[in-house]
Structure formats: structure tokens, C-alpha cells
Amino acid sequence: MKGFIIGLTFIAALCQFGGAKDVVELTPANFHKTVIDSDELWLVEFFAPWCGHCKALAPEWEKAASILKGIVKVGAVDADAHQGLGQQYKVEGFPTIKIFGQDKFKPVDYQGGRTANDIVNGAMKAAQQMVSARMSGGGRSSGGGRGSGSGGSKGPGSKEDVIELTDSNFEELVMNSKDYWLVEFFAPWCGHCKNLAPHWQSAASQLKGRIKMGALDATVHTVMASRYGVRGYPTIKVFPAGAKGEPEEYQGGRTADDIVAWVNEHYAEDIPAPEILQITEEKTLKDACEGHQLCIVSVLPHILDCQSECRNKYLAVLKGLGEKFKKQKWGWLWSEAGQQLALEDSLEIGGFGYPALAAVNVRKMKFSLMRGSFGETGINDFLRELSYGRGSTAPLKQAKLPEIVKIDPWDGKDGVLEEVEDIDLSDVELDDLEKDEL
């Protein structure tokens, strides 16, 4: 016990001297190789630069990393910049600390205090548990490198989610589509292909609805394999969304987690930003809201109160934020104040003035009204909270989308007041009674 107290005192003294260089910066590009494929115990903080608690933790995290240097690895992931990696490990708040120990594919949440002393003690306890597991014959369970056939898979998935490609259907399904495709060129006798198969299937199920994943037997369908220069197996090619040119080589890992994390990081770079659609008919609202997890609805001032230059500035802000949050695949809509009164009433927008913005979740028939300023920063903060599943919500009236009035789309021009013609009374004949009265 005395030695333990002396050890704590020593640690407390060392905590006065920290070094940020000992915290390893982790990203989707290096996470698997650096953490998952390593033999060391890792403590990883998932943080956001704007998070106050993360800023308070930073110096303690750096001190702990300095103390643990050579014993336990300490890293940090900017989960705001790399949201896919945070989602992969079910990060729902900041900071979140995960311990990657004996089984790298099953990290545990760190539940200790946030001082350097607490972090070091928690790390040493986890290290002891890892040593005990190895002494009992547990071995290393990280799943190994790319050739692993088990670790890293999140369930078997469904074979139907991997699309079988051939020489005859490749052009139609892949090249003529606007979808984002990952295509594996394989050989049935290839051992690495057999190892990849369950991971490919699992990743295809997890990514269903976002991208397409296919597989082509290159020993049978040699035309396509030759066209794309396949020389070894498995070869994975990336066909970006939109018009198809020359595919890119997939450079990520070969587990389901690797593939999903890679797509989460790269997919958004290739998909186009969503179009900001004016609500002119019921179909516009339904397509944008029922076809997406959320739809973002803005109500802009009347054209007479905010002419074309003013309106286009608002639309430019929305377009920029649509680009930033495009991997969320939300629908984006706008309406002019007073044109869709049932919609404004359903979203309780009327009492807050214009411009206004709300997010609608049709699956839950709920909405969230933005109460901050209608500017890039205010909207960004509101949408960021939504992307992490936070924010207050209210039910849509009558638990359904409101009725939409069919209107003509905005022509892009300034509004003009309708002129009322003056009435010339000199030519109006008055009856005898009126004449007498005059």
C-alpha cells in the first residue's frame, strides 16, 4: 500500500510536465494500421474542437500521454472532422474515451475521472487486465491484418446486398448509373478473396442505401477484368458517383470495419451537394422528406421584403451548408413566407418571423425548430447538433405532413408591386339623384 501511495505521488509530480507530442493524431487513414493492427494497449479520445469539456481535458490528456509513453499508447480523433470514424465506434457525445485492449474490435468505454492521475491509473488497470488475459492463454484478438477472415466484421450481412456483376450487365448496372460503386474483382480459388468475402458482404449490408457494392468473377468475365487492368486478386475498384470515368484504386483495409470507415471518409467527397428545392407542390415536399432521414425546411422572407439579391444570399448560405452536411443525405427545401401557410403552421414558424428554419423527421413525424440566428454560424450549430442526434423536438400537427398549395416557381427576379390604376371620374355619368346631391 505504501508503495502504491508513493507511486501515486510520483505520478502526480510527473503530471506537472506534459507534452502534446506524445498524443498520436488518428484519422480514418491511419486508424486501422496504427491502433487495430498494433499489439499495444491504446487509449483513444474522440473529441470535437468546439467542445468545452474537450478543451478542459486536453492538458490532462497530454500529461497522461507523456507519463504513459513507452507503456500505453494515447491517441486522439477529431470526430467532428471524421464523423464516420466516430459513428463506427458509436460516439454520441464529446469527449468519449475508448480503451482498445485485448480485443481491438471490441473497445470498452473508459469510465474513470478526467485528470491525468485518473487516466494513468485507468490505463494501468486496463494494461494489467490485458496481461492477465495473455497469461491465461487468451492471445491477441485484434483480428490481425488485411487477410483476417473473422475480426472486424459486424455480422454476416446478406449475400443479396453484394450485386453479382458480369461482362453482360456491368455497363448497364455500373457505368450507366449515377450511383457510387465499390467493385471487387475476384477469383474463386484465391485465398485472400475467400477471407475478404464475409467482410465484403457485411460492409455491403451496412452501406446499403448509400452506395452499391458488387463482385465480379474475373476468371469467367475476362472482358471487364481486362478493361480495368486486373492483374491480381482481389482487386477493388472505386467508381465515383455521377458520370463514370476511369475508376480509382481502393486503398483501404480489408475488414468490414475498414471498408465502412473508408467509405464514410471518402464517399462524401464524391457525391454532389444536395439541391435546395422550392416547395411548389406536394410531391416536392414528400420526395425530400419521405426519402431522407431528415429534411431541412427554410421559409424565406417575401420577395417584396427581400428582393432577388437578398434571397440569393440566403440560398447561397443554405447551399454551402448543404455541401458541408451532404454525407448526411438530408433533403433541403425552401418556401416563401405566406405561400405555404399550412406548412408554417405545422412547423410553428409563424411566431418567429422570417427567415426561419426547421428540420423534419417524417419517420417519427416530429420536427425541430431552429431558434438561433439565420446565418451560416447559427444554422451550422443547429445542424451539427442534429447530426449527433441532439436537439429538442415536437410532434407534427395531426402526425402527418401538411397540405401543400401548388404554386409557380420563383422566376429569379425581383418582386414588383402591382399598380392600381387611377379611376378618372370625369367621364362617369351620375344619376339625377347624385347630381342633385352634388
Side-chain angles (χ1 to χ4, degrees):
M1 183 65 181
K2 182 178 179 181
F4 177 72
I5 294 174
I6 291 173
L8 284 181
T9 304
F10 177 65
I11 289 173
L14 284 176
C15 281
Q16 302 303 312
F17 308 93
K21 302 295 183 183
D22 298 321
V23 177
V24 181
E25 181 182 356
L26 299 169
T27 69
N30 69 5
F31 195 91
H32 187 89
K33 182 178 180 181
T34 305
V35 178
I36 304 301
D37 279 347
S38 73
D39 291 310
E40 295 92 351
L41 177 80
W42 275 86
L43 261 66
V44 178
E45 176 203 4
F46 294 83
F47 72 94
W50 46 263
C51 161
H53 292 299
C54 302
K55 293 176 183 178
L57 174 63
E60 300 298 316
W61 195 247
E62 292 164 7
K63 290 177 186 178
S66 181
I67 294 167
L68 292 167
K69 187 175 182 179
I71 304 170
V72 173
K73 295 284 189 178
V74 178
V77 175
D78 182 345
D80 194 40
H82 308 296
Q83 293 182 18
L85 196 53
Q87 291 169 1
Q88 180 180 338
Y89 291 104
K90 296 180 173 60
V91 174
E92 297 179 350
F94 303 117
T96 290
I97 300 173
K98 301 275 184 179
I99 301 173
F100 292 79
Q102 178 70 1
D103 188 344
K104 291 294 199 299
F105 288 107
K106 294 181 180 179
V108 297
D109 287 328
Y110 168 77
Q111 302 289 359
R114 300 298 174 88
T115 68
N117 277 1
D118 293 328
I119 296 165
V120 170
N121 289 334
M124 297 311 295
K125 182 178 179 181
Q128 181 60 52
Q129 292 171 345
M130 188 171 173
V131 170
S132 298
R134 290 184 180 180
M135 289 177 65
S136 65
R140 181 176 180 271
S141 303
S142 69
R146 290 184 170 191
S148 170
S150 56
S153 176
K154 293 189 176 181
S158 172
K159 289 183 180 180
E160 296 178 356
D161 295 331
V162 177
I163 300 169
E164 183 180 354
L165 297 171
T166 66
D167 282 340
S168 59
N169 69 11
F170 196 95
E171 196 75 27
E172 179 184 355
L173 294 182
V174 179
M175 302 306 292
N176 292 340
S177 79
K178 294 184 178 180
D179 297 313
Y180 187 105
W181 277 83
L182 285 184
V183 177
E184 176 203 4
F185 295 82
F186 72 94
W189 45 260
C190 160
H192 290 303
C193 302
K194 293 177 182 177
N195 287 333
L196 174 62
H199 294 279
W200 196 251
Q201 182 176 302
S202 176
S205 294
Q206 294 179 57
L207 294 168
K208 186 177 181 179
R210 297 182 59 199
I211 72 166
K212 298 287 182 67
M213 291 182 64
L216 182 141
D217 184 343
T219 66
V220 175
H221 305 286
T222 57
V223 174
M224 289 301 162
S226 176
R227 176 188 293 184
Y228 295 111
V230 175
R231 299 287 182 268
Y233 308 112
T235 291
I236 301 173
K237 299 280 186 178
V238 182
F239 294 82
K244 301 292 187 289
E246 279 299 307
E248 305 166 8
E249 291 287 337
Y250 170 79
Q251 301 292 347
R254 300 298 176 91
T255 69
D257 284 346
D258 289 333
I259 297 164
V260 171
W262 190 92
V263 169
N264 285 337
E265 183 68 14
H266 293 83
Y267 170 61
E269 298 173 2
D270 294 303
I271 61 174
E275 188 177 355
I276 316 298
L277 300 172
Q278 184 183 3
I279 303 173
T280 57
E281 58 181 347
E282 188 174 345
K283 185 178 184 298
T284 313
L285 181 66
K286 284 190 172 182
D287 287 351
C289 293
E290 293 181 354
H292 301 83
Q293 180 187 10
L294 293 177
C295 57
I296 311 303
V297 181
S298 298
V299 180
L300 304 182
H302 192 279
I303 192 64
L304 294 177
D305 297 324
C306 173
Q307 295 282 10
S308 59
E309 181 179 359
C310 167
R311 177 172 290 181
N312 284 324
K313 286 181 179 179
Y314 284 133
L315 292 173
V317 169
L318 294 172
K319 185 176 181 180
L321 290 165
E323 169 74 31
K324 182 174 182 178
F325 289 92
K326 64 182 180 180
K327 70 178 177 181
Q328 303 293 341
K329 298 196 76 175
W330 294 333
W332 290 73
L333 301 164
W334 73 274
S335 176
E336 180 180 285
Q339 282 187 334
Q340 304 294 347
L341 293 176
L343 175 68
E344 294 181 32
D345 182 56
S346 182
L347 301 180
E348 299 179 3
I349 283 176
F352 286 89
Y354 308 105
L357 183 142
V360 180
N361 185 325
V362 172
R363 184 173 60 83
K364 297 182 179 180
M365 283 299 167
K366 291 186 175 182
F367 72 96
S368 181
L369 180 63
M370 186 185 77
R371 300 179 186 277
S373 62
F374 195 100
E376 184 173 2
T377 301
I379 300 173
N380 179 77
D381 291 346
F382 175 72
L383 297 179
R384 185 176 60 199
E385 290 294 299
L386 290 178
S387 69
Y388 290 115
R390 297 195 290 261
S392 59
T393 60
L396 284 172
K397 288 189 176 181
Q398 300 180 346
K400 65 178 183 179
L401 289 175
E403 293 184 3
I404 297 300
V405 178
K406 189 169 184 178
I407 61 168
D408 293 328
W410 177 45
D411 59 9
K413 300 178 181 178
D414 285 340
V416 179
L417 278 172
E418 293 184 7
E419 294 184 4
V420 179
E421 295 184 4
D422 293 331
I423 299 175
D424 186 358
L425 295 177
S426 61
D427 295 330
V428 177
E429 294 186 3
L430 303 178
D431 60 31
D432 293 339
L433 178 62
E434 289 174 326
K435 289 178 180 177
D436 291 341
E437 290 179 348
L438 289 174

